């Protein structure tokens, strides 16, 4: 069996390092061709030493020089490049079979789309790409024949619970609803008064998952679940009213598919991203992910609640943007990225995040997401409106 050759975009992040952890368990199956990282250059150098890629890509020339310096004694030499064009290049190299798209935020759209256009197997962690430009993205997937394998645990669970031949038609497959589970985040039981004063440290201390800071805050506001509703809409061609969110604090059931005959299929497991990563890396085979088997006796109880949209309005905003269509989701995503960054830098209260996003959705005119230019303009306008909203909130 020839080895699968992979590029990991966002190799220094939480998903990137989990991916390389799984890859390192199966050297007979996988070969790392290229890695990228934006910050943490020493960590990227370390990953290059361990996985010996042909290419490594950083964000800036300064970072590239630093990385090259750290790797100068490496043989064979790692070719170091930087910038967006270099990211697109390593995402579409002819010698690459699969691309792990694990850059966080809107910055992931260009490189992920490059992998899609090149017809790669795309292991999709970067949900923001689909939120911003889902229609254009899925049209490219259809055109190029790229194979999308969802990494987000919920979408990976849905993918595993759908029939193997599922081709984007819920009715034809007898699917009634898609049920996305949500842990509820660290503030599931917090009072509105407590929420007002929560800190970035508290927001990033997720009860079940260890993740990057942006997605951790998104999980705390439930915007992460909102982005995931939009992601599910595009991945599974599901209208908003057939995607339901269920709060399930144990994070053991990763999502469910409700069929017309009354069957409900789900995927369960310990909350460890190496499971969906290994599933996608080996698909349709199964490989050891280094994850302990689920101990149902120890878990003992699985519970479910309705999401509280009054305390967590971001989830409702995402449904609203999905229903509005056009560039609404791109505006929502951009305003959210700016608001989350301001919260992480202590310039915005946690409870002011939804207001900033609402303001952007109200002020930026909605147009059809007819091409990437329209999407990037909406992204830029959403960011400007959010900065304005943050100044007003201060
Ligand atoms: P992270 O912050 O830990 O890592 C992000 C990676 O992106 C890093 O390698 C960083 O260097 C790189 N990066 C940051 N800004 C960049 C830029 N401007 N240009 C190029 N590269 C840049 O994030 P993460 O938690 O690993 O999440 C990555 C993606 O996966 C996100 O879209 C997130 O929503 C999604 N995701 C993560 C998890 C999780 O458990 N962490 C689960 C599901 C989905
Ligand atoms: Mg998820």
């Amino acid at each position: 069996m020839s080895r699968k050759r992979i590029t990991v975009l966002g190799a220094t992040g939480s998903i990137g390092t989990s991916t390389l952890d799984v890859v390192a368990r199966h050297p007979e199956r996988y070969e790392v061709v290229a890695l990228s990282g934006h910050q943490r250059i020493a960590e990227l150098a370390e990953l290059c030493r361990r996985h010996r890629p042909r290419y490594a890509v950083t964000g800036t020339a300064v970072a590239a020089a630093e990385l090259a310096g750290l790797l100068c004694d490496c043989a064979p030499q790692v070719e170091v490049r930087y910038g967006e064009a270099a990211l697109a290049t390593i995402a579409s190299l002819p010698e690459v079979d699969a691309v792990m798209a694990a850059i966080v935020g809107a910055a992931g759209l260009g490189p992920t789309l490059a992998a899609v256009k090149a017809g790669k197997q795309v292991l999709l962690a970067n949900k923001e790409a689909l939120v911003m430009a889902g229609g254009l993205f899925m049209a490219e997937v259809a055109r190029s024949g790229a194979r999308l394998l969802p990494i987000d645990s919920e979408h990976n669970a849905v993918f595993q619970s759908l029939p193997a031949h599922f081709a984007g038609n819920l009715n034809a497959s007898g699917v009634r609803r898609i049920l996305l589970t949500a842990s509820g985040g660290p503030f599931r039981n917090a009072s509105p008064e407590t929420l007002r004063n929560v800190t970035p440290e508290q927001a990033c201390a997720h009860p079940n998952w260890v993740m990057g800071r942006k997605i951790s805050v998104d999980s705390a506001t439930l915007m992460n679940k909102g982005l995931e509703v939009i992601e599910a809409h595009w991945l599974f061609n599901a209208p908003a009213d057939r995607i339901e969110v269920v709060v399930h604090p144990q994070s053991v059931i990763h999502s469910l598919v409700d069929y017309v005959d009354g069957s409900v299929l789900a995927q369960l497991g310990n909350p460890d991203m190496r499971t969906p990563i290994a599933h996608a890396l080996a698909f349709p085979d199964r490989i050891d992910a280094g994850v302990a088997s689920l101990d149902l006796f120890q878990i003992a109880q699985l519970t479910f609640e309705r999401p509280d949209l009054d305390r967590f309005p971001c989830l409702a905003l995402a449904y609203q943007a999905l229903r509005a269509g056009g560039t609404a989701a791109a505006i929502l995503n951009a305003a959210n990225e700016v608001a989350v960054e301001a919260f992480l830098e202590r310039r915005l209260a946690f409870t002011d995040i939804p207001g900033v996003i609402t303001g952007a959705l109200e002020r930026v005119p909605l147009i059809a997401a007819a091409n990437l230019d329209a999407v990037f303009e909406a992204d830029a306008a959403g960011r400007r409106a959010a900065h304005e909203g943050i100044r007003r909130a201060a």
Side-chain angles (χ1 to χ4, degrees):
M1 191 177 72
S2 64
R3 295 197 295 171
K4 189 183 264 191
R5 298 159 300 176
I6 60 175
T7 284
V8 182
L9 300 171
T12 49
S14 162
I15 293 289
T17 49
S18 292
T19 302
L20 291 169
D21 178 282
V22 176
V23 162
R25 290 166 193 274
H26 304 278
E28 74 297 348
R29 276 183 168 262
Y30 305 106
E31 176 186 341
V32 177
V33 178
L35 298 176
S36 91
H38 209 60
Q39 305 93 356
R40 306 201 200 134
I41 299 306
E43 269 114 311
L44 183 56
E46 198 42 51
L47 293 173
C48 287
R49 285 182 184 281
R50 206 170 319 144
H51 298 279
R52 299 294 164 147
R54 285 207 36 214
Y55 306 93
V57 174
T58 65
T60 63
V62 173
E66 184 187 342
L67 181 64
L70 290 169
L71 294 175
C72 62
D73 61 337
C74 256
Q77 271 293 330
V78 180
E79 195 174 319
V80 179
R81 301 185 182 183
Y82 67 91
E84 251 193 81
L87 288 174
T89 302
I90 60 166
S92 53
L93 289 168
E95 65 264 40
V96 162
D97 305 307
V99 175
M100 167 57 77
I103 290 174
V104 62
L109 175 57
T112 306
L113 210 47
V116 167
K117 283 184 175 155
K120 302 299 183 197
Q121 206 181 59
V122 180
L123 283 48
L124 186 69
N126 175 253
K127 63 191 81 181
E128 293 90 348
L130 272 184
V131 171
M132 291 173 73
L136 299 165
F137 193 99
M138 295 309 288
E140 268 314 321
V141 170
R143 194 198 54 75
S144 71
R147 178 64 149 136
L148 273 192
L149 293 165
I151 294 297
D152 216 342
S153 57
E154 295 76 6
H155 306 74
N156 184 273
V158 170
F159 181 88
Q160 294 197 47
S161 305
L162 282 168
H165 57 265
F166 181 73
N169 187 327
L170 295 182
N171 290 340
S173 292
V175 174
R176 198 149 43 193
R177 286 176 310 164
I178 289 173
L179 300 167
L180 296 182
T181 52
S183 69
F187 309 134
R188 183 169 58 91
N189 294 320
S191 68
E193 303 73 52
T194 320
L195 279 183
R196 176 112 214 121
N197 296 312
V198 297
T199 64
E201 290 72 26
Q202 291 170 314
C204 290
H206 195 279
N208 306 337
W209 300 94
V210 182
M211 311 180 283
R213 280 161 69 79
K214 192 260 176 181
I215 184 176
S216 294
V217 177
D218 285 347
S219 299
T221 61
L222 289 202
M223 179 55 95
N224 182 51
K225 212 47 55 181
L227 301 178
E228 290 181 355
V229 167
I230 302 173
E231 184 184 10
H233 163 75
W234 292 113
L235 281 176
F236 307 118
N237 194 23
D241 58 9
R242 288 169 79 171
I243 308 170
E244 209 169 305
V245 172
V246 182
V247 174
H248 164 48
Q250 296 82 18
S251 296
V252 167
I253 300 180
H254 298 308
S255 277
L256 316 90
V257 177
D258 176 17
Y259 287 89
V260 287
D261 63 2
S263 299
V264 178
L265 299 192
Q267 185 258 0
L268 285 70
N270 287 316
D272 187 323
M273 288 307 292
R274 290 177 301 175
T275 295
I277 289 168
H279 169 264
L281 276 172
F283 182 80
D285 296 347
R286 298 275 179 176
I287 55 169
D288 178 16
V291 178
S293 71
L294 189 63
D295 184 346
L296 287 172
F297 299 108
Q298 204 208 328
I299 292 161
Q301 276 201 4
L302 299 177
T303 61
F304 308 94
E305 305 163 12
R306 277 184 203 286
D308 179 347
L309 299 181
D310 293 328
R311 276 182 312 140
F312 301 104
C314 285
L315 178 56
L317 287 174
Y319 269 104
Q320 183 191 319
L322 174 57
R323 292 197 163 99
T327 48
I331 299 164
L332 169 100
N333 179 67
N336 180 58
E337 283 190 24
V338 171
V340 167
E341 191 178 297
F343 167 69
L344 284 171
E345 291 170 1
R346 297 182 161 76
R347 292 183 282 113
L348 187 73
F350 183 80
T351 42
D352 285 336
I353 294 173
V356 167
I357 300 163
T358 305
L361 284 169
E362 282 169 2
R363 277 196 297 281
V364 180
L366 197 72
I367 58 167
N371 51 49
L372 271 186
D373 286 344
V375 169
F376 282 121
E377 268 170 44
D379 177 84
R383 282 170 203 275
R384 283 194 300 273
H387 283 297
E388 182 55 36
I390 290 164
R391 269 195 296 277
R392 263 200 294 273

